[in-house]
Amino acid sequence: MADEALFLLLHNEMVAGLYRAAEQGEGENGRCTTKLESIGFRVGQGLIERFTKDTARFKDELDIMKFICKDFWTTVFKKQIDNLRTNHQGIYVLQDNKFRLLTQMSAGKQYLEHAPKYLAFTCGLIRGGLSNLGIKSIVTAEVSSMPACKFQVMIQKM
Amino acid sequence: MSRPPGRKQENHKISGELFVLTYGALVAQLCKDYEKDEDVNTCLDRMGYGIGVRLIDDFLARSAVKKCRSYSETADMIAQVAFKMYLGVTPTVSCSSAARNEFSLILDKNPLVDFVEELPAERASLCYCNLLCGVIRGALEMVHLPAEVTFLQDRLKGDAVTEIGITFLRKAEDRKHRRNK
């Protein structure tokens, strides 16, 4: 069905369009990131429902995080997360060395400051997926060198 | 491995749903941002244009089609190759003018509205799939075929089918003139 190119282009247009609208309007940059994250949240919720329809019940939190890193990431970004670290106390760091949404951009320092805009949607995607699996979390992302990036997931104990 | 068979096809379907779900969430966000339906429609069209001008490169690289020699060949190409490649559906093409520069694509299955039941009452004039119009317009412009693309009928608004109308803006005689030079 819909090709990968379509999603990549739509994502880029979404980021550009929302930021352009903000510039013309009040100029509130922070709101754009929130909007992107909430779009990602909604998509993540829907996707994880469709995806885990037939899978077995997850044993524990770590099992869920491994699922996100392997199956979920493979379906959405055609590759697995390269490195998963945890402190076993509710903080997980997912490292992707060649993040799909950043590979189209120059790999130097030129766009480093703009890179976080392109991660907001994916942060929401992870948060939405976890939320529908019963885990409340806060997801942030950082880019130290293109196109590698790290997503930090902090599980909130309810 | 204890995976059930047919897993790969399911995954492929789900990555298709990623696009549809993202599009739906995007339209919902735009509806929150803009009060008037026309603004949302314009915004979607503009985004679609931006996508179309880039998508055409991807399309030409993947499909390696030869140059189209007439407007009706172009319309057929859009329907049978492009739509099939990106959305998995093949609309039917019909030519609706004597000048042979107006065509319409009739979609009886529109994957973008897979998860949409109906438009909310206060959004009656929203063109949910307006992105598609922008994409087609942008792509055609990049191959030097300016066109106007709009929705003629929309199933979400109660019509029987979804119909996209493409009107090529340059007259057919102009193309012939250039060749004779």
Side-chain angles (χ1 to χ4, degrees):
Chain A
M1 217 201 96
D3 242 350
E4 208 194 329
L6 262 183
F7 173 67
L8 285 177
L9 287 173
L10 178 66
H11 178 261
N12 288 350
E13 272 306 312
M14 225 165 40
V15 176
L18 282 175
Y19 274 88
R20 186 174 44 218
E23 262 168 51
Q24 286 169 359
E26 310 92 56
E28 288 184 43
N29 241 355
R31 292 254 302 271
C32 296
T33 320
T34 316
K35 284 183 198 171
L36 279 169
E37 216 256 353
S38 59
I39 295 180
F41 183 78
R42 185 66 198 91
V43 178
Q45 283 184 314
L47 262 188
I48 207 86
E49 269 177 15
R50 314 283 296 170
F51 203 3
T52 55
K53 206 167 40 133
D54 295 318
T55 49
R57 189 188 283 255
F58 295 109
K59 287 191 292 259
D60 57 13
E61 218 171 72
L62 187 58
D63 211 29
I64 295 182
M65 290 313 294
K66 284 201 228 168
F67 173 79
I68 300 267
C69 294
K70 289 200 211 154
D71 300 311
F72 189 69
W73 218 255
T74 312
T75 306
V76 178
F77 298 113
K78 309 284 185 298
K79 65 183 284 289
Q80 292 187 4
I81 283 277
D82 296 304
N83 197 346
L84 171 68
R85 284 201 289 263
T86 174
N87 68 354
H88 293 291
Q89 276 161 14
I91 300 200
Y92 297 85
V93 179
L94 289 73
Q95 183 164 345
D96 191 335
N97 289 334
K98 214 173 157 206
F99 188 50
R100 255 336 178 51
L101 299 176
L102 293 178
T103 44
Q104 308 292 332
M105 289 180 233
S106 145
K109 296 215 180 303
Q110 191 177 5
Y111 296 111
L112 206 54
E113 54 167 302
H114 295 288
K117 294 182 200 166
Y118 292 88
L119 300 174
F121 177 83
T122 313
C123 288
L125 199 70
I126 301 175
R127 191 167 69 90
L130 288 175
S131 148
N132 261 15
L133 287 173
I135 297 184
K136 202 156 166 250
S137 57
I138 296 183
V139 184
T140 52
E142 61 163 353
V143 188
S144 45
S145 69
M146 307 272 272
C149 65
K150 289 197 190 120
F151 294 94
Q152 188 180 44
V153 181
M154 279 180 279
I155 311 283
Q156 315 270 281
K157 296 281 181 249
M158 293 201 248
Chain B
M1 286 287 216
S2 53
R3 287 252 176 91
R7 182 96 192 176
K8 270 218 164 128
Q9 222 197 358
E10 253 178 63
N11 288 354
H12 186 68
K13 200 164 62 94
I14 290 169
S15 50
E17 291 177 1
L18 171 66
F19 177 72
V20 176
L21 285 170
T22 308
Y23 184 64
L26 172 66
V27 177
Q29 180 65 48
L30 287 176
C31 286
K32 264 191 249 171
D33 286 344
Y34 297 106
E35 272 179 26
K36 291 203 266 186
D37 293 343
E38 294 80 45
D39 290 339
V40 181
N41 291 342
T42 316
C43 196
L44 284 173
D45 188 71
R46 199 168 27 180
M47 281 197 189
Y49 182 80
I51 294 178
V53 303
R54 294 172 179 90
L55 197 67
I56 185 71
D57 282 334
D58 185 78
F59 171 69
L60 291 174
R62 271 187 229 237
S63 60
V65 292
K66 296 212 194 64
K67 189 168 167 161
C68 291
R69 283 163 304 174
S70 68
Y71 288 146
S72 79
E73 255 187 70
T74 314
D76 285 332
M77 188 71 65
I78 297 176
Q80 283 154 17
V81 188
F83 264 83
K84 182 86 188 172
M85 188 188 286
Y86 290 111
L87 293 175
V89 292
T90 316
T92 37
V93 185
S94 70
C95 178
S96 49
S97 89
R100 304 207 59 80
N101 66 337
E102 280 177 33
F103 296 86
S104 62
L105 304 172
I106 301 180
L107 286 149
D108 36 71
K109 183 168 144 11
N110 186 356
L112 283 183
V113 303
D114 265 350
F115 300 115
V116 182
E117 264 188 43
E118 55 175 18
L119 291 176
E122 64 270 13
R123 290 281 173 191
S125 58
L126 175 69
C127 286
Y128 184 80
C129 302
N130 220 22
L131 193 94
L132 286 180
C133 291
V135 173
I136 299 175
R137 186 168 62 93
L140 285 175
E141 204 164 299
M142 285 295 115
V143 287
H144 305 294
L145 288 173
E148 263 174 34
V149 188
T150 49
F151 269 94
L152 299 174
Q153 292 189 70
D154 196 350
R155 213 178 226 155
L156 283 179
K157 293 186 188 160
D159 298 315
V161 288
T162 307
E163 192 178 340
I164 302 178
I166 306 179
T167 308
F168 291 99
L169 293 176
R170 248 181 308 189
K171 293 223 187 76
E173 293 86 48
D174 288 347
R175 285 160 66 91
K176 280 198 197 136
H177 271 283
R178 267 193 292 151
R179 255 193 293 198
N180 285 340
K181 267 193 188 151

